Amino acid sequence: MSESEQRFGEYVVVRRHEQGHVAELVLDRPKAMNAVSTDMAVSLGAACEALAADRGVRVTVLTSSNDRAFCVGADLKERNSFSDADLVRQRPTARGAYTGVLELPMPTVAAVHGFALGGGFELALSCDVIVADATAVVGLPEVSVGVIPGGGGTQLLPRRVGAARAAELVFTARRVEAGEARELGLVDVLAEDARTEALALAARIAVNSPVGLRNAKKVMRLGQGLDLRAGLEVEDAAWRATAFSGDRAEGVAAFNEKRKPAWPGE
C-alpha cells in the first residue's frame, strides 16, 4: 500500500494510506511519551483541520510512535512553569486539540498501546472505536493531581460506560489494565497488535460509501441525548442527505451489476 506523509510541527504526523483511503494520525513525541504540550496541541489541531477537509480520507486511525505509551496526557512539566494567566491563555489551544479529534467527520479508530492516561485516554475516547492490546493501561487520573478531566472525559466516559461506572473511575483516579478495560467497555477490541488491528478495521470500514460513513457518524453523534422521536427526525434528515447522493446511485448500480462500487464520494 502506498503512503505519503505530512508533518505538522515537530510532534504530529499524518500518514495517508492512499490506496485504502485511510489516514493515520500519529502522535510523535516519543521522548515525552506523547505528553501533550502547547506546541503538540497546536499541531494536533492543525492536523485534524487538514484531515477534516480531505474528502479522500474515509477513515482516520489515531496511533502513537512510542513503544510504551499511546499518550500520557497533558505535559505536566510544562504546566508546572505556567502562571494562572498562562494556563488561561493555553486553554483554547488544548481544547482545540481534543475537539479536533472529536469532530473529525469520518469514522475514527484509536490504536492504544501502553499508557493512555488523562488527556491521552480522552483522545482515545474522542474516537468512534478503541482498539487496544495487552499492554494497554487506561484511566482518567486528573483528580489525583488537583484538576479534573478537561479534554471531554467527564462527558465522553459516561456516554460510553454509564454515569455510575464513569464516576467510580474518575473519582478514584485509578488505572485500568487491558483485560478489565475491555470488560468495562473502556475499550472495544483487544488485539495482539493494536495498530495492525486498527488499520485492518479501518480498511474494512473504508470500502464503504464515504457519504454514508460521514452521515452515519454525524447522525449517531447528533442523536445522543435526544429522545427517540427527535432522534428519528435527525436520522431521517441524514437519510435524505445520503439517499439522493451520487454514492447511493453508484451503490445500487454496483449491487445490481455484481461489481465493487467506485464511490464518487458526493
Side-chain angles (χ1 to χ4, degrees), residues 29-260:
R29 196 184 177 205
K31 292 182 179 179
M33 300 177 75
N34 291 327
V36 182
S37 64
T38 302
D39 286 346
M40 186 173 177
V42 169
S43 297
L44 190 54
C48 288
E49 184 176 356
L51 282 168
D54 190 339
R55 301 295 296 188
V57 176
R58 298 179 188 172
V59 188
T60 294
V61 180
L62 183 61
T63 68
S64 164
S65 65
N66 185 272
D67 61 3
R68 293 184 55 210
F70 175 74
C71 174
V72 293
D75 186 342
L76 296 185
K77 291 183 178 179
E78 179 188 63
R79 293 278 181 92
N80 192 47
S81 68
F82 279 7
S83 66
D84 287 352
D86 291 332
L87 193 59
V88 169
R89 281 192 293 270
Q90 194 233 22
R91 177 61 177 162
T93 301
R95 286 195 69 187
Y98 297 105
T99 57
V101 175
L102 182 66
E103 294 178 359
L104 284 170
M106 73 290 290
T108 51
V109 182
V112 175
H113 173 86
F115 296 110
L117 301 173
F121 189 38
E122 289 173 306
L123 288 173
L125 290 170
S126 296
C127 294
D128 299 302
V129 181
I130 302 175
V131 177
D133 61 30
T135 70
V137 179
V138 305
L140 296 175
E142 283 86 348
V143 297
S144 69
V145 292
V147 291
I148 68 168
T154 63
Q155 304 306 303
L156 296 169
L157 190 59
R159 284 168 167 77
R160 174 175 272 271
V161 300
R165 182 162 288 166
E168 183 267 324
L169 293 166
V170 171
F171 296 161
T172 62
R174 71 183 180 93
R175 300 180 178 191
V176 184
E177 295 186 358
E180 184 185 5
R182 177 65 185 89
E183 291 177 3
L184 296 179
L186 302 176
V187 305
D188 303 301
V189 178
L190 278 184
E192 183 175 344
D193 183 283
R195 177 177 177 271
T196 298
E197 178 59 32
L199 288 171
L201 174 60
R204 294 194 295 273
I205 294 170
V207 300
N208 297 305
S209 158
V211 173
L213 290 172
R214 289 183 178 227
N215 284 343
K217 174 169 179 169
K218 181 179 180 180
V219 71
M220 286 191 286
R221 289 285 180 90
L222 289 175
Q224 289 181 359
L226 299 179
D227 64 38
L228 179 58
R229 185 179 296 274
L232 290 173
E233 290 303 314
V234 170
E235 181 186 75
D236 185 65
W239 179 87
R240 292 173 185 276
T242 311
F244 301 103
S245 68
D247 274 13
R248 192 276 306 171
E250 169 61 12
V252 172
F255 177 84
N256 284 287
E257 294 165 15
K258 297 180 172 57
R259 59 172 175 82
K260 292 183 178 179

